[in-house]
Amino acid sequence: MPQSNDGESLAPSNSNAEVNRTRIEWQLYTSHFLSMWNSRLFEFGAVLFLASIFPSTLLPMSIYALIRSLSAMLLAHPLGTWIDGGNRLSVVRVSILGQRLAVAGSCGVLWLIEVRMGALSVTGVNGLFALLVALACVEKLCATMNTIAVERDWVVVMTEGDEDWRRVINARIRRIDLACKLVGPFVVSLVAMASTIIAIWTVLGVNMASVPIEYICIERVYKSVPALERVSADEEIASSSREDEQAPSGLTSFISNILPVSSIPFYIRHPAFLPSFSLSLLYLTVLSFSGQMVTYLMSVGYTPLHVGIARTGSTIVELSATWVAPRLIRRIGPIRGGLWSLNWQMACLAIGVCWYMIDLNKQESNAFISATVLAICVAFSRLGLWGYDLCAQNIVQEEVEATHRGSFSTAEAAFQNLFELLSFASTIAFSKPDQFQWPMLISILAVYISGILYALFLRSRRGHLFHAPPCLKSRTEGRIALE
């Protein structure tokens, strides 16, 4: 019996291919889960540990967060260059080891400050804090490199020619991110309630125990997908493009190679710039359940229990976006799906902000109720936010050239960090709870500018924003026929 013409004889090979695909997926998910889990655990843990060490001031925490984000913004270009031209496995391995060693060093410094705080001089504390900030910058850069390499490069190569599979992987990876964002802080908070020292050791232990598992899983994915190995032609193209972008020797060359002065113009000129930049602009917000909005909610009478319920509800909505968005993309495509998602986010935030502002101008306003309505609307707006995130990611994955995925995505990450810093600046400028309406208005303005920019992108691609209703279509066609 000819093997090639027998449907039954071909079934086992198809079945084997499906099993192999599932195995690769779960190895990728395992590595990504451990990376995101450790990142979220340390990110939130560091806030708690610094609050325990410096209970009477927010200055150390502010400096720590500011410099950490600033490093990711300023050093985006060399990261992108390496992701584009380096060996894919080496890039991810270095990101894993760099992140784990930086966290281990940070835990050691935090433990030392916590235990020896009374015995250390001011100079000693400042020196250890400076070391802690430097390690945090390394951790942030390695975490960014790992995320971009896997989500914007590996996934595209693995799913080449299979858009349905790519949508599934994108959604599951985002689901992992959001689950870690919810559960990680909760776990480290529970441990820290018992003892800060135990929490530091817990973060350190989990961090180091995950290294061999991450290392093995990502290596197996690499070996299972031959396309991930860069061919010499790709390396030559990437190398020549980098040489063209480099400035002359000297100080100008140094600045060009370190700061994102060459990747930013490329990013702005790229056809996928508008959807990417619109996503970055959404980071200029205080309308999320992060420290700024949580502080405001606490000031109007929320208890930690109320905040916990609000954050949990918001995360459930965010997770639902990872099921809704892939179906939306499959039905109407990522470009129209992005518009629908942004419209949902804008509508929800408009309702919440309008209610808040109307109540604020009443003679007998109820701050607790208006804050609750705002919190509910913000929670539901996250469905649109993460739906748009997946749509924009799909557009970028499809349109950015293989030799520039790293440069493009790190430039996007630089803008995200810039707008995040501006959101912190808005609450520094308007720091009192009764001034929260100004950072809130800045945030919703950023969302609407993002929507306008994306609408321009949509119109340039499709020639229109919305499909005309059938009745209008028939009238227009009738006029054309009469003429």
PDB file of all heavy atoms in Angstrom, residues 272-284:
ATOM      1  N   ALA A 272       4.181  50.096  11.122  1.00  0.00           N
ATOM      2  CA  ALA A 272       3.478  49.641  12.332  1.00  0.00           C
ATOM      3  C   ALA A 272       3.654  50.606  13.500  1.00  0.00           C
ATOM      4  O   ALA A 272       3.291  50.272  14.637  1.00  0.00           O
ATOM      5  CB  ALA A 272       3.971  48.249  12.733  1.00  0.00           C
ATOM      6  N   PHE A 273       4.183  51.809  13.236  1.00  0.00           N
ATOM      7  CA  PHE A 273       4.457  52.755  14.331  1.00  0.00           C
ATOM      8  C   PHE A 273       3.197  53.171  15.075  1.00  0.00           C
ATOM      9  O   PHE A 273       3.150  53.161  16.311  1.00  0.00           O
ATOM     10  CB  PHE A 273       5.161  53.998  13.765  1.00  0.00           C
ATOM     11  CG  PHE A 273       5.162  55.170  14.702  1.00  0.00           C
ATOM     12  CD1 PHE A 273       5.900  55.144  15.886  1.00  0.00           C
ATOM     13  CD2 PHE A 273       4.401  56.301  14.420  1.00  0.00           C
ATOM     14  CE1 PHE A 273       5.891  56.220  16.758  1.00  0.00           C
ATOM     15  CE2 PHE A 273       4.386  57.386  15.283  1.00  0.00           C
ATOM     16  CZ  PHE A 273       5.130  57.344  16.453  1.00  0.00           C
ATOM     17  N   LEU A 274       2.148  53.565  14.350  1.00  0.00           N
ATOM     18  CA  LEU A 274       0.964  54.122  15.009  1.00  0.00           C
ATOM     19  C   LEU A 274       0.286  53.147  15.968  1.00  0.00           C
ATOM     20  O   LEU A 274      -0.016  53.515  17.104  1.00  0.00           O
ATOM     21  CB  LEU A 274      -0.025  54.653  13.974  1.00  0.00           C
ATOM     22  CG  LEU A 274       0.346  56.006  13.342  1.00  0.00           C
ATOM     23  CD1 LEU A 274      -0.676  56.404  12.283  1.00  0.00           C
ATOM     24  CD2 LEU A 274       0.440  57.093  14.402  1.00  0.00           C
ATOM     25  N   PRO A 275       0.025  51.883  15.579  1.00  0.00           N
ATOM     26  CA  PRO A 275      -0.573  50.976  16.571  1.00  0.00           C
ATOM     27  C   PRO A 275       0.352  50.708  17.754  1.00  0.00           C
ATOM     28  O   PRO A 275      -0.107  50.586  18.890  1.00  0.00           O
ATOM     29  CB  PRO A 275      -0.845  49.688  15.777  1.00  0.00           C
ATOM     30  CG  PRO A 275      -0.050  49.810  14.527  1.00  0.00           C
ATOM     31  CD  PRO A 275       0.099  51.265  14.250  1.00  0.00           C
ATOM     32  N   SER A 276       1.664  50.650  17.501  1.00  0.00           N
ATOM     33  CA  SER A 276       2.623  50.418  18.580  1.00  0.00           C
ATOM     34  C   SER A 276       2.693  51.621  19.518  1.00  0.00           C
ATOM     35  O   SER A 276       2.667  51.482  20.745  1.00  0.00           O
ATOM     36  CB  SER A 276       4.005  50.129  17.985  1.00  0.00           C
ATOM     37  OG  SER A 276       4.987  50.087  18.992  1.00  0.00           O
ATOM     38  N   PHE A 277       2.784  52.822  18.942  1.00  0.00           N
ATOM     39  CA  PHE A 277       2.876  54.026  19.762  1.00  0.00           C
ATOM     40  C   PHE A 277       1.577  54.264  20.533  1.00  0.00           C
ATOM     41  O   PHE A 277       1.605  54.743  21.677  1.00  0.00           O
ATOM     42  CB  PHE A 277       3.186  55.235  18.876  1.00  0.00           C
ATOM     43  CG  PHE A 277       3.451  56.502  19.645  1.00  0.00           C
ATOM     44  CD1 PHE A 277       4.663  56.685  20.297  1.00  0.00           C
ATOM     45  CD2 PHE A 277       2.491  57.495  19.730  1.00  0.00           C
ATOM     46  CE1 PHE A 277       4.909  57.850  21.019  1.00  0.00           C
ATOM     47  CE2 PHE A 277       2.727  58.662  20.438  1.00  0.00           C
ATOM     48  CZ  PHE A 277       3.945  58.834  21.088  1.00  0.00           C
ATOM     49  N   SER A 278       0.439  53.935  19.916  1.00  0.00           N
ATOM     50  CA  SER A 278      -0.844  54.059  20.612  1.00  0.00           C
ATOM     51  C   SER A 278      -0.877  53.174  21.850  1.00  0.00           C
ATOM     52  O   SER A 278      -1.396  53.571  22.896  1.00  0.00           O
ATOM     53  CB  SER A 278      -1.992  53.676  19.672  1.00  0.00           C
ATOM     54  OG  SER A 278      -2.076  54.569  18.585  1.00  0.00           O
ATOM     55  N   LEU A 279      -0.295  51.975  21.732  1.00  0.00           N
ATOM     56  CA  LEU A 279      -0.201  51.082  22.891  1.00  0.00           C
ATOM     57  C   LEU A 279       0.703  51.675  23.966  1.00  0.00           C
ATOM     58  O   LEU A 279       0.376  51.646  25.156  1.00  0.00           O
ATOM     59  CB  LEU A 279       0.326  49.709  22.446  1.00  0.00           C
ATOM     60  CG  LEU A 279       0.536  48.674  23.555  1.00  0.00           C
ATOM     61  CD1 LEU A 279      -0.786  48.341  24.252  1.00  0.00           C
ATOM     62  CD2 LEU A 279       1.159  47.398  22.983  1.00  0.00           C
ATOM     63  N   SER A 280       1.836  52.229  23.559  1.00  0.00           N
ATOM     64  CA  SER A 280       2.766  52.839  24.523  1.00  0.00           C
ATOM     65  C   SER A 280       2.113  54.001  25.253  1.00  0.00           C
ATOM     66  O   SER A 280       2.318  54.190  26.453  1.00  0.00           O
ATOM     67  CB  SER A 280       4.028  53.322  23.799  1.00  0.00           C
ATOM     68  OG  SER A 280       4.705  52.265  23.174  1.00  0.00           O
ATOM     69  N   LEU A 281       1.311  54.786  24.536  1.00  0.00           N
ATOM     70  CA  LEU A 281       0.674  55.961  25.123  1.00  0.00           C
ATOM     71  C   LEU A 281      -0.289  55.586  26.253  1.00  0.00           C
ATOM     72  O   LEU A 281      -0.530  56.380  27.168  1.00  0.00           O
ATOM     73  CB  LEU A 281      -0.067  56.727  24.031  1.00  0.00           C
ATOM     74  CG  LEU A 281      -0.495  58.171  24.307  1.00  0.00           C
ATOM     75  CD1 LEU A 281       0.695  59.027  24.714  1.00  0.00           C
ATOM     76  CD2 LEU A 281      -1.148  58.752  23.056  1.00  0.00           C
ATOM     77  N   LEU A 282      -0.824  54.360  26.201  1.00  0.00           N
ATOM     78  CA  LEU A 282      -1.748  53.912  27.246  1.00  0.00           C
ATOM     79  C   LEU A 282      -1.057  53.709  28.587  1.00  0.00           C
ATOM     80  O   LEU A 282      -1.735  53.536  29.611  1.00  0.00           O
ATOM     81  CB  LEU A 282      -2.436  52.609  26.807  1.00  0.00           C
ATOM     82  CG  LEU A 282      -3.311  52.712  25.558  1.00  0.00           C
ATOM     83  CD1 LEU A 282      -3.890  51.358  25.201  1.00  0.00           C
ATOM     84  CD2 LEU A 282      -4.434  53.733  25.751  1.00  0.00           C
ATOM     85  N   TYR A 283       0.280  53.740  28.597  1.00  0.00           N
ATOM     86  CA  TYR A 283       1.025  53.616  29.857  1.00  0.00           C
ATOM     87  C   TYR A 283       1.027  54.929  30.633  1.00  0.00           C
ATOM     88  O   TYR A 283       1.426  54.952  31.792  1.00  0.00           O
ATOM     89  CB  TYR A 283       2.463  53.167  29.580  1.00  0.00           C
ATOM     90  CG  TYR A 283       2.589  51.683  29.342  1.00  0.00           C
ATOM     91  CD1 TYR A 283       2.124  51.106  28.156  1.00  0.00           C
ATOM     92  CD2 TYR A 283       3.163  50.846  30.289  1.00  0.00           C
ATOM     93  CE1 TYR A 283       2.222  49.743  27.935  1.00  0.00           C
ATOM     94  CE2 TYR A 283       3.268  49.479  30.074  1.00  0.00           C
ATOM     95  CZ  TYR A 283       2.794  48.933  28.900  1.00  0.00           C
ATOM     96  OH  TYR A 283       2.879  47.584  28.686  1.00  0.00           O
ATOM     97  N   LEU A 284       0.603  56.016  29.999  1.00  0.00           N
ATOM     98  CA  LEU A 284       0.501  57.303  30.699  1.00  0.00           C
ATOM     99  C   LEU A 284      -0.866  57.333  31.390  1.00  0.00           C
ATOM    100  O   LEU A 284      -1.812  57.972  30.915  1.00  0.00           O
ATOM    101  CB  LEU A 284       0.630  58.462  29.714  1.00  0.00           C
ATOM    102  CG  LEU A 284       1.105  59.822  30.256  1.00  0.00           C
ATOM    103  CD1 LEU A 284       1.296  60.816  29.121  1.00  0.00           C
ATOM    104  CD2 LEU A 284       0.184  60.414  31.312  1.00  0.00           C
TER     105      LEU A 284
END
